[in-house]
Amino acid sequence: AAAPVAAAPAPVAAPAPAPAPAPAPAPVATPVATPPGGYVPLAKPPVRKLAKDLGVDLYALSGSGPGGVITREDVEAAVAAPAAAPSPSTADNGTRERRVPIKGVRKATAQAMVDSAFTAPHVTEFLTVDVTPMMELRARLKNAPEFRGVKLTPLAFAAKAVVLAARRTPDVNATWDEAAQEIVYKDYVHLGIAAATPRGLVVPKVRDADRMSLRELAVALEELATTARDGKTTPADMMGGTITITNVGVFGVDTGTPIINPGESAILALGAIRDMPWVVDGQVVPRKVCQLALSFDHRVVDGQQGSQFLADVGALLADPGVAITY
Protein backbone atom coordinates (compact mmCIF):
# COMPACT_ATOMS: atom_id res chain seq x y z
CA ALA A 1 0.00 0.00 0.00
CA ALA A 2 1.15 3.52 -0.74
CA ALA A 3 2.47 5.55 2.16
CA PRO A 4 0.21 8.39 3.33
CA VAL A 5 0.84 11.87 1.93
CA ALA A 6 0.80 15.00 4.08
CA ALA A 7 -2.63 15.76 5.56
CA ALA A 8 -4.64 18.69 4.13
CA PRO A 9 -5.59 21.62 6.44
CA ALA A 10 -8.67 20.89 8.54
CA PRO A 11 -11.72 23.14 7.92
CA VAL A 12 -12.42 26.05 10.26
CA ALA A 13 -15.39 25.44 12.54
CA ALA A 14 -18.54 27.60 11.80
CA PRO A 15 -19.71 30.14 14.48
CA ALA A 16 -22.25 28.79 16.93
CA PRO A 17 -25.90 30.16 16.46
CA ALA A 18 -26.02 31.38 20.04
CA PRO A 19 -25.86 35.14 20.58
CA ALA A 20 -22.62 34.69 22.47
CA PRO A 21 -19.41 35.71 20.68
CA ALA A 22 -18.22 33.20 18.14
CA PRO A 23 -15.44 30.90 19.36
CA ALA A 24 -11.94 31.18 17.94
CA PRO A 25 -11.31 29.12 14.81
CA ALA A 26 -10.12 25.53 15.35
CA PRO A 27 -6.37 25.11 14.82
CA VAL A 28 -5.09 23.92 11.47
CA ALA A 29 -3.56 20.41 11.50
CA THR A 30 0.11 20.81 10.77
CA PRO A 31 1.84 17.79 9.16
CA VAL A 32 4.92 16.44 10.90
CA ALA A 33 7.86 16.39 8.55
CA THR A 34 9.60 13.04 8.27
CA PRO A 35 13.29 13.47 8.91
CA PRO A 36 15.71 12.50 6.16
CA GLY A 37 16.25 8.76 6.04
CA GLY A 38 13.11 8.23 8.15
CA TYR A 39 11.57 4.83 8.71
CA VAL A 40 8.84 5.26 6.05
CA PRO A 41 9.68 7.67 3.21
CA LEU A 42 6.73 9.84 2.22
CA ALA A 43 6.05 9.68 -1.53
CA LYS A 44 3.10 9.26 -3.85
CA PRO A 45 2.69 5.96 -5.73
CA PRO A 46 3.87 7.35 -9.11
CA VAL A 47 6.99 8.71 -7.45
CA ARG A 48 7.65 5.36 -5.76
CA LYS A 49 7.35 3.59 -9.10
CA LEU A 50 9.73 6.07 -10.70
CA ALA A 51 12.28 5.54 -7.92
CA LYS A 52 12.03 1.77 -8.31
CA ASP A 53 12.48 1.98 -12.09
CA LEU A 54 15.54 4.23 -11.73
CA GLY A 55 17.07 2.26 -8.85
CA VAL A 56 16.86 5.10 -6.36
CA ASP A 57 16.62 4.30 -2.64
CA LEU A 58 13.88 6.50 -1.18
CA TYR A 59 15.33 6.00 2.31
CA ALA A 60 18.39 7.95 1.21
CA LEU A 61 16.44 11.01 0.03
CA SER A 62 15.17 14.17 1.76
CA GLY A 63 11.77 15.21 0.45
CA SER A 64 11.39 18.80 -0.81
CA GLY A 65 7.60 18.65 -0.94
CA PRO A 66 5.15 19.77 1.76
CA GLY A 67 5.76 17.90 5.00
CA GLY A 68 8.91 16.25 3.63
CA VAL A 69 7.13 14.43 0.79
CA ILE A 70 9.56 13.11 -1.83
CA THR A 71 8.75 14.48 -5.26
CA ARG A 72 9.51 13.38 -8.82
CA GLU A 73 12.11 16.15 -8.98
CA ASP A 74 13.86 14.76 -5.87
CA VAL A 75 14.16 11.33 -7.51
CA GLU A 76 15.41 12.75 -10.82
CA ALA A 77 17.94 14.93 -9.00
CA ALA A 78 19.29 11.87 -7.16
CA VAL A 79 19.85 10.14 -10.50
CA ALA A 80 21.62 13.18 -11.96
CA ALA A 81 23.88 13.71 -8.92
CA PRO A 82 27.43 12.29 -9.20
CA ALA A 83 27.99 9.05 -7.33
CA ALA A 84 29.74 9.36 -3.98
CA ALA A 85 33.38 8.37 -4.04
CA PRO A 86 33.84 4.92 -2.56
CA SER A 87 35.46 4.81 0.83
CA PRO A 88 39.01 3.50 0.88
CA SER A 89 39.11 -0.28 1.16
CA THR A 90 40.64 -1.76 4.28
CA ALA A 91 41.33 -5.09 2.56
CA ASP A 92 44.94 -6.02 1.89
CA ASN A 93 46.00 -5.97 -1.75
CA GLY A 94 48.69 -8.59 -1.27
CA THR A 95 51.57 -6.24 -0.49
CA ARG A 96 51.77 -7.63 3.06
CA GLU A 97 51.56 -11.26 2.00
CA ARG A 98 54.12 -13.67 0.63
CA ARG A 99 53.81 -16.98 -1.16
CA VAL A 100 56.14 -19.93 -0.85
CA PRO A 101 55.92 -22.76 -3.39
CA ILE A 102 55.18 -26.15 -1.86
CA LYS A 103 57.91 -28.55 -2.94
CA GLY A 104 60.46 -31.03 -1.71
CA VAL A 105 60.07 -32.49 1.77
CA ARG A 106 57.07 -30.34 2.70
CA LYS A 107 55.16 -31.34 -0.43
CA ALA A 108 55.90 -35.03 0.08
CA THR A 109 54.93 -34.83 3.76
CA ALA A 110 51.66 -33.04 2.99
CA GLN A 111 50.68 -35.66 0.41
CA ALA A 112 51.61 -38.50 2.74
CA MET A 113 49.52 -37.06 5.56
CA VAL A 114 46.50 -36.65 3.29
CA ASP A 115 46.88 -40.20 1.98
CA SER A 116 47.12 -41.57 5.51
CA ALA A 117 44.23 -39.56 6.94
CA PHE A 118 41.85 -40.62 4.16
CA THR A 119 43.04 -44.22 3.87
CA ALA A 120 43.58 -45.59 7.37
CA PRO A 121 40.65 -45.46 9.81
CA HIS A 122 42.27 -43.60 12.69
CA VAL A 123 41.48 -44.21 16.35
CA THR A 124 43.18 -42.15 19.08
CA GLU A 125 43.38 -43.04 22.76
CA PHE A 126 44.84 -41.02 25.62
CA LEU A 127 46.58 -41.84 28.89
CA THR A 128 47.86 -39.57 31.67
CA VAL A 129 50.87 -40.99 33.52
CA ASP A 130 52.83 -40.15 36.66
CA VAL A 131 56.38 -40.38 35.31
CA THR A 132 58.12 -39.29 38.51
CA PRO A 133 59.96 -42.66 38.86
CA MET A 134 61.22 -42.36 35.27
CA MET A 135 62.53 -38.84 35.90
CA GLU A 136 64.20 -40.00 39.12
CA LEU A 137 65.89 -42.87 37.26
CA ARG A 138 67.01 -40.42 34.57
CA ALA A 139 68.63 -38.22 37.23
CA ARG A 140 70.49 -41.21 38.70
CA LEU A 141 71.67 -42.49 35.34
CA LYS A 142 73.16 -39.13 34.40
CA ASN A 143 75.76 -39.70 37.11
CA ALA A 144 76.45 -43.28 36.07
CA PRO A 145 79.76 -43.80 34.21
CA GLU A 146 77.97 -45.53 31.31
CA PHE A 147 75.80 -42.48 30.60
CA ARG A 148 78.36 -39.71 31.05
CA GLY A 149 78.44 -37.54 27.98
CA VAL A 150 75.15 -39.00 26.74
CA LYS A 151 72.09 -36.78 26.27
CA LEU A 152 69.52 -38.87 28.10
CA THR A 153 66.09 -37.40 27.35
CA PRO A 154 62.54 -38.50 28.22
CA LEU A 155 62.21 -39.36 24.52
CA ALA A 156 64.85 -42.06 24.95
CA PHE A 157 62.80 -43.62 27.76
CA ALA A 158 59.66 -43.41 25.62
CA ALA A 159 61.50 -45.08 22.72
CA LYS A 160 62.61 -47.94 24.95
CA ALA A 161 59.09 -48.30 26.34
CA VAL A 162 57.60 -48.43 22.84
CA VAL A 163 59.91 -51.18 21.58
CA LEU A 164 59.37 -53.23 24.74
CA ALA A 165 55.60 -52.82 24.64
CA ALA A 166 55.53 -53.73 20.94
CA ARG A 167 56.85 -57.19 21.85
CA ARG A 168 53.66 -57.85 23.80
CA THR A 169 51.38 -56.28 21.16
CA PRO A 170 53.03 -56.94 17.77
CA ASP A 171 49.94 -55.65 15.92
CA VAL A 172 51.05 -52.03 16.45
CA ASN A 173 54.26 -52.87 14.57
CA ALA A 174 52.43 -54.53 11.67
CA THR A 175 51.14 -52.98 8.44
CA TRP A 176 48.15 -53.33 6.14
CA ASP A 177 48.91 -54.57 2.60
CA GLU A 178 45.96 -53.38 0.55
CA ALA A 179 47.05 -55.03 -2.70
CA ALA A 180 47.54 -58.46 -1.14
CA GLN A 181 44.77 -58.02 1.42
CA GLU A 182 47.14 -59.15 4.17
CA ILE A 183 48.45 -57.89 7.48
CA VAL A 184 52.24 -58.00 7.50
CA TYR A 185 53.79 -58.62 10.94
CA LYS A 186 57.40 -57.48 11.31
CA ASP A 187 59.98 -59.04 13.59
CA TYR A 188 61.98 -55.84 13.78
CA VAL A 189 61.27 -52.25 14.85
CA HIS A 190 62.39 -49.37 12.66
CA LEU A 191 61.36 -46.58 14.99
CA GLY A 192 60.38 -43.29 13.35
CA ILE A 193 61.00 -40.05 15.23
CA ALA A 194 59.08 -37.03 13.94
CA ALA A 195 61.35 -33.98 13.81
CA ALA A 196 60.56 -30.38 12.91
CA THR A 197 63.20 -28.84 10.64
CA PRO A 198 63.52 -25.68 8.49
CA ARG A 199 62.64 -27.89 5.52
CA GLY A 200 59.46 -29.11 7.20
CA LEU A 201 58.50 -32.23 9.11
CA VAL A 202 60.77 -35.22 8.60
CA VAL A 203 60.50 -38.66 10.17
CA PRO A 204 63.89 -40.41 10.10
CA LYS A 205 64.15 -43.93 11.44
CA VAL A 206 66.19 -45.61 14.12
CA ARG A 207 66.87 -48.97 12.47
CA ASP A 208 66.45 -52.09 14.61
CA ALA A 209 65.59 -50.01 17.65
CA ASP A 210 64.32 -53.15 19.40
CA ARG A 211 67.89 -54.46 19.57
CA MET A 212 69.28 -51.35 21.26
CA SER A 213 69.93 -50.65 24.92
CA LEU A 214 68.69 -47.45 26.54
CA ARG A 215 72.12 -45.89 26.08
CA GLU A 216 72.31 -46.90 22.42
CA LEU A 217 68.85 -45.45 21.81
CA ALA A 218 69.82 -42.17 23.47
CA VAL A 219 72.93 -41.87 21.28
CA ALA A 220 71.01 -42.78 18.12
CA LEU A 221 68.29 -40.24 18.87
CA GLU A 222 70.81 -37.46 19.40
CA GLU A 223 72.59 -38.30 16.11
CA LEU A 224 69.26 -38.45 14.29
CA ALA A 225 68.17 -35.06 15.69
CA THR A 226 71.48 -33.40 14.75
CA THR A 227 71.29 -34.73 11.20
CA ALA A 228 67.69 -33.53 10.84
CA ARG A 229 68.49 -30.02 12.15
CA ASP A 230 71.38 -29.76 9.71
CA GLY A 231 69.06 -30.66 6.85
CA LYS A 232 71.07 -33.77 6.00
CA THR A 233 68.35 -36.39 6.46
CA THR A 234 68.24 -38.39 3.23
CA PRO A 235 65.06 -39.85 1.67
CA ALA A 236 66.38 -43.33 2.43
CA ASP A 237 66.58 -42.43 6.14
CA MET A 238 62.84 -41.76 6.13
CA MET A 239 61.71 -44.96 4.42
CA GLY A 240 60.59 -48.26 5.86
CA GLY A 241 59.43 -47.29 9.35
CA THR A 242 57.24 -49.60 11.40
CA ILE A 243 56.01 -47.34 14.24
CA THR A 244 56.61 -43.68 15.13
CA ILE A 245 56.93 -41.34 18.12
CA THR A 246 56.18 -37.63 17.86
CA ASN A 247 57.50 -35.61 20.79
CA VAL A 248 55.09 -32.68 21.01
CA GLY A 249 56.22 -32.08 24.59
CA VAL A 250 59.33 -30.21 23.40
CA PHE A 251 56.96 -27.43 22.27
CA GLY A 252 55.21 -27.30 25.64
CA VAL A 253 52.15 -29.13 24.28
CA ASP A 254 50.33 -31.62 26.50
CA THR A 255 49.01 -33.98 23.83
CA GLY A 256 47.44 -34.22 20.38
CA THR A 257 45.90 -36.59 17.83
CA PRO A 258 48.80 -37.59 15.58
CA ILE A 259 48.32 -38.87 12.04
CA ILE A 260 49.77 -42.29 11.27
CA ASN A 261 52.67 -42.37 8.85
CA PRO A 262 51.84 -44.23 5.62
CA GLY A 263 52.92 -47.85 5.76
CA GLU A 264 52.63 -47.97 9.55
CA SER A 265 49.81 -48.77 11.92
CA ALA A 266 50.51 -46.71 15.05
CA ILE A 267 52.05 -43.45 16.25
CA LEU A 268 52.58 -42.29 19.84
CA ALA A 269 52.51 -38.62 20.88
CA LEU A 270 54.64 -37.83 23.91
CA GLY A 271 53.41 -34.73 25.75
CA ALA A 272 55.12 -32.23 28.01
CA ILE A 273 56.15 -33.37 31.49
CA ARG A 274 54.69 -31.02 34.07
CA ASP A 275 54.56 -30.70 37.86
CA MET A 276 50.95 -31.44 38.76
CA PRO A 277 48.94 -32.50 41.81
CA TRP A 278 48.57 -36.29 41.96
CA VAL A 279 46.95 -38.64 44.43
CA VAL A 280 49.46 -41.05 46.01
CA ASP A 281 48.32 -43.33 48.84
CA GLY A 282 45.32 -41.10 49.44
CA GLN A 283 47.36 -37.91 49.63
CA VAL A 284 47.57 -35.15 47.02
CA VAL A 285 51.25 -34.53 46.26
CA PRO A 286 53.17 -32.82 43.44
CA ARG A 287 54.35 -35.28 40.77
CA LYS A 288 55.84 -35.27 37.29
CA VAL A 289 52.92 -35.97 34.97
CA CYS A 290 52.84 -36.62 31.23
CA GLN A 291 50.06 -37.27 28.74
CA LEU A 292 50.33 -39.91 26.01
CA ALA A 293 48.20 -40.21 22.87
CA LEU A 294 48.20 -43.24 20.60
CA SER A 295 46.68 -43.17 17.12
CA PHE A 296 46.32 -46.52 15.38
CA ASP A 297 44.91 -48.06 12.21
CA HIS A 298 41.72 -49.86 13.22
CA ARG A 299 42.06 -52.24 10.27
CA VAL A 300 45.14 -53.72 11.92
CA VAL A 301 44.82 -52.84 15.61
CA ASP A 302 41.64 -53.47 17.56
CA GLY A 303 40.66 -51.34 20.53
CA GLN A 304 41.79 -54.00 22.98
CA GLN A 305 45.22 -54.27 21.39
CA GLY A 306 45.69 -50.51 21.13
CA SER A 307 44.62 -50.03 24.74
CA GLN A 308 46.93 -52.78 25.96
CA PHE A 309 49.90 -51.31 24.11
CA LEU A 310 49.25 -47.80 25.44
CA ALA A 311 48.79 -49.13 28.97
CA ASP A 312 52.10 -51.02 28.71
CA VAL A 313 53.97 -47.90 27.55
CA GLY A 314 52.43 -45.95 30.41
CA ALA A 315 53.35 -48.63 32.94
CA LEU A 316 56.98 -48.65 31.79
CA LEU A 317 57.23 -44.86 32.09
CA ALA A 318 55.46 -44.84 35.45
CA ASP A 319 57.72 -47.59 36.83
CA PRO A 320 60.76 -48.49 34.70
CA GLY A 321 61.35 -51.49 36.92
CA VAL A 322 58.39 -53.16 35.21
CA ALA A 323 60.69 -53.68 32.22
CA ILE A 324 62.31 -56.70 33.88
CA THR A 325 58.96 -58.50 33.66
CA TYR A 326 58.71 -58.10 29.87
Side-chain angles (χ1 to χ4, degrees), residues 93-176:
N93 58 8
T95 57
R96 296 190 297 171
E97 301 174 355
R98 61 189 180 94
R99 293 173 176 264
V100 178
I102 302 173
K103 58 184 180 180
V105 172
R106 189 175 295 276
K107 184 175 183 179
T109 300
Q111 186 59 51
M113 292 298 98
V114 171
D115 292 343
S116 175
F118 290 97
T119 301
H122 282 57
V123 175
T124 304
E125 295 185 339
F126 306 91
L127 181 65
T128 303
V129 183
D130 173 10
V131 296
T132 306
M134 180 198 79
M135 298 300 286
E136 292 172 346
L137 175 60
R138 175 176 176 243
R140 293 196 303 271
L141 291 178
K142 282 185 175 181
N143 296 322
E146 183 183 0
F147 285 89
R148 285 177 186 165
V150 176
K151 188 174 182 180
L152 187 59
T153 65
L155 179 59
F157 285 89
K160 188 63 177 177
V162 164
V163 297
L164 288 174
R167 294 179 185 174
R168 290 159 56 102
T169 310
D171 305 80
V172 300
N173 197 55
T175 189
W176 179 273

Side-chain angles (χ1 to χ4, degrees), residues 18-322:
V28 178
T30 303
V32 178
T34 302
Y39 184 72
V40 179
L42 299 178
K44 294 180 179 180
V47 176
R48 289 182 177 278
K49 183 177 185 306
L50 176 65
K52 180 179 180 181
D53 293 341
L54 297 178
V56 175
D57 183 7
L58 292 178
Y59 284 87
L61 300 184
S62 298
S64 61
V69 174
I70 298 173
T71 66
R72 173 181 291 272
E73 289 74 16
D74 295 330
V75 174
E76 292 173 345
V79 174
S87 58
S89 174
T90 58
D92 276 309
N93 58 8
T95 57
R96 296 190 297 171
E97 301 174 355
R98 61 189 180 94
R99 293 173 176 264
V100 178
I102 302 173
K103 58 184 180 180
V105 172
R106 189 175 295 276
K107 184 175 183 179
T109 300
Q111 186 59 51
M113 292 298 98
V114 171
D115 292 343
S116 175
F118 290 97
T119 301
H122 282 57
V123 175
T124 304
E125 295 185 339
F126 306 91
L127 181 65
T128 303
V129 183
D130 173 10
V131 296
T132 306
M134 180 198 79
M135 298 300 286
E136 292 172 346
L137 175 60
R138 175 176 176 243
R140 293 196 303 271
L141 291 178
K142 282 185 175 181
N143 296 322
E146 183 183 0
F147 285 89
R148 285 177 186 165
V150 176
K151 188 174 182 180
L152 187 59
T153 65
L155 179 59
F157 285 89
K160 188 63 177 177
V162 164
V163 297
L164 288 174
R167 294 179 185 174
R168 290 159 56 102
T169 310
D171 305 80
V172 300
N173 197 55
T175 189
W176 179 273
D177 188 333
E178 180 67 28
Q181 288 293 291
E182 296 174 340
I183 296 176
V184 182
Y185 290 89
K186 301 177 180 181
D187 296 330
Y188 56 89
V189 177
H190 292 341
L191 182 63
I193 304 295
T197 74
R199 296 193 302 160
L201 178 69
V202 298
V203 189
K205 318 301 178 185
V206 178
R207 306 291 174 182
D208 296 312
D210 54 318
R211 299 182 181 181
M212 294 184 177
S213 66
L214 179 62
R215 185 187 189 283
E216 290 170 334
L217 276 172
V219 172
L221 291 173
E222 177 61 18
E223 292 175 350
L224 178 149
T226 300
T227 301
R229 285 193 300 267
D230 294 342
K232 297 180 180 179
T233 303
T234 66
D237 292 335
M238 295 186 284
M239 301 295 292
T242 60
I243 189 171
T244 293
I245 299 175
T246 177
N247 185 13
V248 298
V250 296
F251 304 109
V253 175
D254 293 326
T255 189
T257 54
I259 297 177
I260 304 165
N261 281 311
E264 301 177 15
S265 296
I267 179 171
L268 179 78
L270 177 67
I273 298 174
R274 303 186 185 280
D275 291 330
M276 297 184 66
W278 198 260
V279 178
V280 178
D281 297 330
Q283 301 294 321
V284 178
V285 295
R287 304 287 283 183
K288 302 289 186 182
V289 176
C290 176
Q291 293 189 45
L292 308 175
L294 176 72
S295 291
F296 55 87
D297 184 343
H298 216 321
R299 297 173 301 177
V300 180
V301 183
D302 292 336
Q304 177 183 354
Q305 297 158 343
S307 300
Q308 182 61 56
F309 173 78
L310 183 58
D312 284 346
V313 172
L316 289 164
L317 297 181
D319 184 2
V322 172

